[in-house]
Amino acid sequence: MRLTGTLMAAGLWLSCQHPSNAPENMLKETLQPPIAAKKDCVLTEHGNKRMDPYFWMRLTDEQKSASQPDPQTQQVLDYLNAENDYTQSILEHTEPFQEKLFQEITGRIKKDDASVPYPKNGYYYYSRYEEGKEYPIYCRKKGSTDAPEEVILDVNELAGKHAYYSATGLTVSPDNNLLAFGEDTLSRRIYTIRFKNLATGEWLTDQIPNTTGDGAWANDNLTYFYTSKHPVSLLSEKIWSHQLGQDVAQDQLKYHETDPSYYIDVTRSKSGRFVMIQASSTMTDHWLILDANQPNGAFKSFTAIAKDLKYDIEHAGHSFYILTNLDANNFRLMECPEKQTDKSNWKEKWGTREDALLAAFDVFEHHIVLTERSNALTHIRVLNLETGDDHVIAFDEEAYVTYPTSNAEYKTNQLRFAYSSLTTPYSIYDYDMNTRDKQLKKTEEVVGGHDPSQYVGKRLWATASGGTKIPISLVYRKDMDPTDGKNPLLLYAYGSYGYSIDPGFSSDRLSLLDRGFIFAIAHIRGGQEMGRSWYDDGKMFHKKNTFTDFIDCAKFLINQRYTSAEHLYAMGGSAGGLLMGAVLNMAPEVFHGVVARVPFVDVVSTMLDETIPLTTNEFDEWGNPKNKDSYDYMLSYSPYDNVKRMNYPNILVTTGLFDSQVQYWEPAKWVAKLRDMKTDDNLLLLQTNMEAGHGGASGRFRRFHETAFIYAFMLDLEGIKE
């Protein structure tokens, strides 16, 4: 990429077009949208020149974190704050409504809630919340759920006065005495690993900076394996072993991934026999294993790297089980001896099916549990290793999600799984895999009451332009007419990375449903709801299927009179924000309002810059624009590059200054260009969280301020004021 041009020395934004001596209340009334200055900037690739007048908005991490901002940094921060001020002024009249929604949403959440304890290595582990506190308290009880409680980590104490705090990757040593976890106080997903002695409650002096936040213990209870990040690209890059009590500078490098298209991670097998490294790109996986009793040994390859070979592994008994796409597009399950792991020794345990994706598996002493995907639903299949029988745990609703959860023990016939639907809150069950009896352990409590029978969950099928059937899950109140053509409807989707959006319950969504909204999920190509081919048909040179599927679903809902273009809203985040940007350029007339959360909208420039986190890992997802065919295709849909001089619907865009997944300047530049180009008077609002990153605010309740803010934006457009 070649950058030419001169950055102008003028100010970077013009805002607040009002008399400087006007009273404050008048300033709020007359505040105008910030107009970002244009700077001469030409980006050249493959002989093609792109004008990017807002390239100047990009800041480095050092600039953002500096205690004394340089002139450019100050100008960018001033511009973002001006956009925030404008957004606040436009929606100021909704602030009492936002507060009501926030109290309503958080009021449905049980303040002193606790998870269902699960057994692991002689203890029962669970987390709980206390009223008035934002963060979880992680606990355990020895031998029985009736034993005295041990608090292993109170995140509230650590969060303290931090504007943002995240604790992740909690792992307890094999002897149950030590806790390792990662903490992030900036929201850049750069974690420092800390250690706590659970027997004494004391903190160890060991601290490991610049990590992914998780890791794996060796069986000596002294060696901890972890993953460090590249300081610029933030890619997971190296696996190290750390000896407790030693300086981090003496840590031993165990693996270095030199191919920037791979993510790497280190885990511990369920059996505790092996420490395992996974190197994973979009199309290829590579695993390495090490005897957990020999932490100073060398990791060995599970099998030779083979292009386009995807697989996951788990150890049980004297075997490894392998979930793989080897000669199986929808994956199959294989088995091999623990000492003969080359793929030439893999033997099929469960075959592939054209009508179902084998998405995940778990191993037990006498059973294997498979998670399958078909028809945009999940299914749990139990294989009995002794009898050879198999069965599926059946459910009756049209649209639901179910999955195994918290199954840490190997020698048990009991499976724990979760179940939910658009009308049914998340429920935890214990299931006897022999007798097939299931016991409800807990249903998510909706404070104030929730009657699922008062809502209708449905599955519809839209037809895409090429004839492909696209599943849609939707929910609405039973007492409304869903097809009068006037209902406000929120259509949500993601459609990337093979990530499937499941039709589960959300108590905060009740604030929309109870005010007459219909909520719908478009299970568009790019996910894996309909199998692996559903993903393949929504990436690389098929990416536009994702966008046209969404538009076709929107038009279908209008044609079926579930809503109209005057009442249809769309929402997506991150890569789903790319979806929002693309459909805005392709079919703006279909929507009344669009919410794009942390949107990935400057596709070509980002994918050309290998210093930006995630870029090199995703060439097999989007394409590498250094190749002309990929460049041309990506340029044809990149939202930022395809903004047109035309009418757009009402738009709300959110971002975070410290976002490491989608850098803040992408949505900021996009909004600036939209504001310059659009020919309508509809709302265009940008809200930047100046203290957080990709996931927004931390804490159990604070994040719902943004939810209430977004809901108020849509409800206000519908004329719903309370």
Side-chain angles (χ1 to χ4, degrees):
M1 180 175 73
R2 182 162 58 89
L3 174 64
T4 61
T6 304
L7 297 184
M8 295 159 47
L12 298 187
W13 56 273
L14 305 174
S15 182
C16 304
Q17 300 170 7
H18 47 66
S20 59
N21 59 350
E24 182 177 349
N25 62 343
M26 184 180 295
L27 300 188
K28 291 182 179 179
E29 291 175 1
T30 60
L31 193 65
Q32 299 296 309
I35 307 301
K38 297 180 181 179
K39 302 289 184 176
D40 293 337
C41 179
V42 180
L43 307 175
T44 303
E45 192 75 25
H46 304 296
N48 176 259
K49 293 183 178 181
R50 291 181 298 130
M51 302 299 297
D52 189 351
Y54 306 110
F55 191 88
W56 56 265
M57 290 188 184
R58 174 174 174 170
L59 299 175
T60 65
D61 286 348
E62 290 75 16
Q63 286 176 298
K64 285 183 291 183
S65 302
S67 57
Q68 294 295 326
D70 60 38
Q72 181 199 0
T73 302
Q74 189 60 57
Q75 290 169 326
V76 173
L77 295 177
D78 286 347
Y79 172 71
L80 295 176
N81 283 320
E83 286 282 4
N84 282 350
D85 289 344
Y86 174 68
T87 296
Q88 190 273 336
S89 73
I90 294 297
L91 296 181
E92 185 175 28
H93 67 283
T94 71
E95 288 179 358
F97 192 20
Q98 291 179 44
E99 180 61 23
K100 178 179 180 179
L101 287 167
F102 174 77
Q103 295 297 335
E104 181 177 292
I105 291 168
T106 57
R108 297 191 188 101
I109 302 171
K110 188 177 180 182
K111 304 302 186 289
D112 55 352
D113 203 6
S115 65
V116 181
Y118 67 91
K120 183 178 182 180
N121 197 25
Y123 283 81
Y124 284 84
Y125 287 86
Y126 59 99
S127 61
R128 60 178 177 83
Y129 288 93
E130 292 182 353
E131 187 167 357
K133 296 183 178 180
E134 286 279 350
Y135 296 94
I137 302 170
Y138 294 97
C139 309
R140 67 180 184 180
K141 295 182 178 182
K142 187 174 183 179
S144 166
T145 55
D146 296 325
E149 177 181 89
E150 300 177 28
V151 174
I152 62 176
L153 192 69
D154 186 340
V155 182
N156 299 281
E157 294 178 355
L158 298 172
K161 297 181 180 179
H162 293 293
Y164 177 92
Y165 189 88
S166 173
T168 191
L170 280 71
T171 52
V172 176
S173 59
D175 66 2
N176 294 315
N177 288 331
L178 298 167
L179 171 71
F181 73 99
E183 69 174 8
D184 173 17
T185 60
L186 191 60
S187 191
R188 286 286 285 174
R189 301 188 182 182
I190 304 172
Y191 293 89
T192 296
I193 292 176
R194 301 181 62 187
F195 299 87
K196 182 180 180 182
N197 187 320
L198 297 179
T200 65
E202 296 177 344
W203 291 97
L204 279 63
T205 58
D206 306 63
Q207 292 196 15
I208 309 172
N210 189 40
T211 77
T212 59
D214 53 8
W217 289 97
N219 285 339
D220 63 359
N221 301 294
L222 292 173
T223 306
Y224 187 78
F225 297 89
Y226 65 93
T227 308
S228 66
K229 291 191 168 189
H230 188 280
V232 177
S233 69
L234 304 186
L235 293 176
S236 49
E237 185 180 47
K238 298 176 181 178
I239 305 291
W240 304 81
S241 64
H242 174 73
Q243 286 284 316
L244 293 181
Q246 291 189 355
D247 193 301
V248 173
Q250 298 178 348
D251 288 358
Q252 298 297 307
L253 179 63
K254 308 299 287 189
Y255 179 77
H256 182 191
E257 180 54 70
T258 58
D259 186 339
S261 68
Y262 283 81
Y263 295 101
I264 61 172
D265 192 21
V266 60
T267 59
R268 180 179 166 90
S269 68
K270 185 174 180 177
S271 67
R273 287 275 311 283
F274 293 90
V275 177
M276 309 184 296
I277 293 173
Q278 181 184 24
S280 180
S281 70
T282 302
M283 298 303 298
T284 305
D285 290 322
H286 179 217
W287 286 81
L288 302 96
I289 57 175
L290 172 68
D291 188 328
N293 292 313
Q294 303 294 328
N296 294 321
F299 283 85
K300 70 170 186 176
S301 291
F302 190 82
T303 191
I305 298 176
K307 188 177 184 300
D308 297 336
L309 176 65
K310 296 287 293 180
Y311 68 103
D312 284 322
I313 63 174
E314 186 56 274
H315 179 260
H318 297 289
S319 298
F320 275 98
Y321 291 91
I322 309 104
L323 177 66
T324 180
N325 69 343
L326 180 65
D327 300 323
N329 189 53
N330 269 339
F331 289 72
R332 56 178 172 159
L333 188 68
M334 314 286 275
E335 182 183 9
C336 70
E338 66 179 35
K339 296 183 179 180
Q340 296 175 297
T341 59
D342 183 81
K343 70 174 182 287
S344 61
N345 298 306
W346 297 0
K347 304 298 181 184
E348 184 173 279
K349 197 73 177 177
W350 183 262
T352 188
R353 294 166 52 195
E354 290 187 7
D355 63 343
L357 169 69
L358 185 54
F361 75 104
D362 201 351
V363 293
F364 299 85
E365 185 176 23
H366 302 298
H367 302 85
I368 294 177
V369 174
L370 308 177
T371 301
E372 301 173 334
R373 285 190 176 276
S374 63
N375 290 320
L377 298 174
T378 51
H379 309 277
I380 297 175
R381 185 181 298 274
V382 179
L383 310 183
N384 190 311
L385 296 176
E386 296 180 332
T387 66
D389 294 336
D390 69 272
H391 68 275
V392 173
I393 304 175
F395 304 98
D396 297 328
E397 294 187 82
E398 286 186 44
Y400 64 86
V401 58
T402 185
Y403 51 88
T405 180
S406 302
N407 292 288
E409 293 289 85
Y410 172 65
K411 293 186 176 182
T412 179
N413 292 321
Q414 183 172 277
L415 168 72
R416 177 162 293 174
F417 70 86
Y419 174 85
S420 178
S421 74
L422 291 171
T423 62
T424 306
Y426 278 88
S427 302
I428 301 296
Y429 289 88
D430 281 346
Y431 181 79
D432 190 306
M433 292 183 281
N434 288 329
T435 66
R436 306 188 186 184
D437 293 329
K438 63 176 180 282
Q439 180 183 6
L440 177 63
K441 303 298 290 185
K442 179 181 179 179
T443 296
E444 174 190 349
E445 181 179 343
V446 179
V447 177
H450 169 68
D451 183 356
S453 69
Q454 297 305 304
Y455 301 84
V456 177
K458 296 185 68 173
R459 170 60 54 79
L460 304 174
W461 295 85
T463 302
S465 53
T468 302
K469 297 292 186 180
I470 312 297
I472 301 173
S473 301
L474 80 166
V475 60
Y476 54 85
R477 282 190 63 92
K478 187 177 182 179
D479 57 6
M480 67 183 288
D481 179 359
T483 56
D484 69 357
K486 300 177 182 178
N487 295 304
L489 187 149
L490 174 59
L491 182 62
Y492 181 84
Y494 187 73
S496 291
Y497 304 108
Y499 183 79
S500 300
I501 302 298
D502 294 311
F505 183 77
S506 171
S507 64
D508 62 86
R509 194 183 297 143
L510 296 175
S511 291
L512 290 180
L513 299 181
D514 290 346
R515 290 176 171 86
F517 262 75
I518 297 173
F519 176 78
I521 302 169
H523 302 286
I524 54 181
R525 282 175 284 188
Q528 293 188 127
E529 288 94 333
M530 301 290 286
R532 185 69 176 182
S533 62
W534 206 247
Y535 171 46
D536 295 335
D537 288 345
K539 68 183 181 74
M540 293 292 287
F541 295 102
H542 302 292
K543 188 63 205 170
K544 289 183 183 178
N545 286 337
T546 301
F547 315 139
T548 56
D549 282 358
F550 189 84
I551 294 169
D552 289 334
C553 286
K555 292 180 177 179
F556 169 82
L557 291 168
I558 292 172
N559 291 337
Q560 296 297 308
R561 296 185 55 79
Y562 283 96
T563 189
S564 65
E566 293 75 27
H567 299 285
L568 177 57
Y569 299 84
M571 184 164 68
S574 196
L578 161 64
L579 168 67
M580 296 298 102
V583 302
L584 275 169
N585 289 329
M586 296 169 68
E589 73 284 353
V590 177
F591 307 96
H592 185 57
V594 171
V595 178
R597 306 179 72 172
V598 291
F600 171 42
V601 285
D602 192 13
V603 181
V604 177
S605 292
T606 290
M607 294 305 296
L608 278 168
D609 189 344
E610 296 184 10
T611 68
I612 295 176
L614 306 185
T615 295
T616 55
N617 297 97
E618 300 187 356
F619 286 150
D620 288 329
E621 180 73 30
W622 312 105
N624 184 347
K626 291 182 180 178
N627 301 322
K628 190 175 186 305
D629 55 350
S630 290
Y631 176 89
D632 290 341
Y633 187 76
M634 296 162 72
L635 187 61
S636 71
Y637 69 76
S638 173
Y640 181 66
D641 294 288
N642 286 279
V643 172
K644 302 178 181 69
R645 193 165 295 282
M646 63 180 181
N647 289 350
Y648 285 89
N650 299 284
I651 304 171
L652 172 62
V653 182
T654 68
T655 186
L657 181 63
F658 294 98
D659 194 336
S660 63
Q661 310 301 107
V662 178
Q663 309 292 324
Y664 73 90
W665 60 76
E666 292 198 41
K669 288 168 52 178
W670 182 47
V671 167
K673 190 171 184 179
L674 280 167
R675 206 181 291 292
D676 179 58
M677 296 286 286
K678 74 190 191 80
T679 55
D680 58 85
D681 293 324
N682 291 324
L683 294 179
L684 173 59
L685 305 176
L686 172 65
Q687 179 69 35
T688 303
N689 188 324
M690 305 299 284
E691 298 178 334
H694 200 63
S698 63
R700 189 184 185 199
F701 299 106
R702 284 188 295 185
R703 61 190 177 93
F704 288 112
H705 283 293
E706 182 174 327
T707 304
F709 173 74
I710 291 170
Y711 284 4
F713 168 77
M714 293 186 291
L715 290 164
D716 189 58
L717 289 172
E718 282 296 309
I720 299 172
K721 306 297 184 181
E722 58 182 38

